[in-house]
């Protein structure tokens, strides 16, 4: 037996599948909803991507992976529109909650304004900042 230091995507995918298999054994059939990826993209008149939100649904919840709006288009309501669309999608998929994380230099107050509650803080990560974990029950 040996332990090898390496990075191979196929090995990472295999480990992920094995964890998911184990997790599925621990859940009731009612909880075993299929995983689904979703994104909503903002494009300008040149068809360039200037914003978007990506998320994944599983186990009756939605996890927001990334929300981004180009600096030149911020404060024009696109972030709010994207969050509204992702919340509507979560409701359509019968999700019970939405989870996400953000850093103190990003947008914790933005999410709080839309009803997200801080459920955890990793302080001084990265150094001098905090990482916030938030949820919104639907």
């Amino acid at each position: 037996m040996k332990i090898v230091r390496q990075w191979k995507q196929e090995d990472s995918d295999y480990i992920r599948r094995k964890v998911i298999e184990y997790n599925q054994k621990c859940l009731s059939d009612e909880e075993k909803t299929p995983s689904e990826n979703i994104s909503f993209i903002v494009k300008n008149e040149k068809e360039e991507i200037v914003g978007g939100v990506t998320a994944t649904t599983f186990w009756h919840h939605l996890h927001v992976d990334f929300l981004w709006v180009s600096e030149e288009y911020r404060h024009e309501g696109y972030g709010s529109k994207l969050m509204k669309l992702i919340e509507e999608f979560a409701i359509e998929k019968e999700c019970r909650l939405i989870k996400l994380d953000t850093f103190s230099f990003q947008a914790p107050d933005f999410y709080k304004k839309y009803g997200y509650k801080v459920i955890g803080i990793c302080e001084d990560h990265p150094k001098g900042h905090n990482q916030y974990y938030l949820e919104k029950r639907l």
Side-chain angles (χ1 to χ4, degrees), residues 57 60-62 89-97 138:
T57 62
H60 295 287
H61 88 282
L62 180 138
F89 178 81
I91 291 166
E92 173 188 316
K93 292 295 179 177
E94 299 178 350
C95 293
R96 294 189 296 254
L97 74 124
L138 301 175

Side-chain angles (χ1 to χ4, degrees), residues 32-101:
K32 294 177 186 175
T33 57
S35 177
E36 183 175 348
N37 297 319
I38 183 68
S39 65
F40 292 96
I41 304 299
V42 180
K43 292 185 177 183
N44 66 13
E45 56 284 339
K46 297 177 188 173
E47 290 295 306
E48 300 166 323
I49 296 174
V50 297
V53 61
T54 66
T56 305
T57 62
F58 61 98
W59 299 351
H60 295 287
H61 88 282
L62 180 138
H63 181 269
V64 174
D65 300 312
F66 299 102
L67 171 67
W68 169 77
V69 176
S70 174
E71 289 186 40
E72 62 190 286
Y73 293 96
R74 290 186 188 159
H75 307 291
E76 294 183 24
Y78 293 111
S80 299
K81 290 175 185 171
L82 290 166
M83 287 306 294
K84 182 178 188 303
L85 288 168
I86 210 71
E87 288 182 8
E88 289 172 354
F89 178 81
I91 291 166
E92 173 188 316
K93 292 295 179 177
E94 299 178 350
C95 293
R96 294 189 296 254
L97 74 124
I98 299 174
K99 300 186 318 181
L100 58 88
D101 67 281

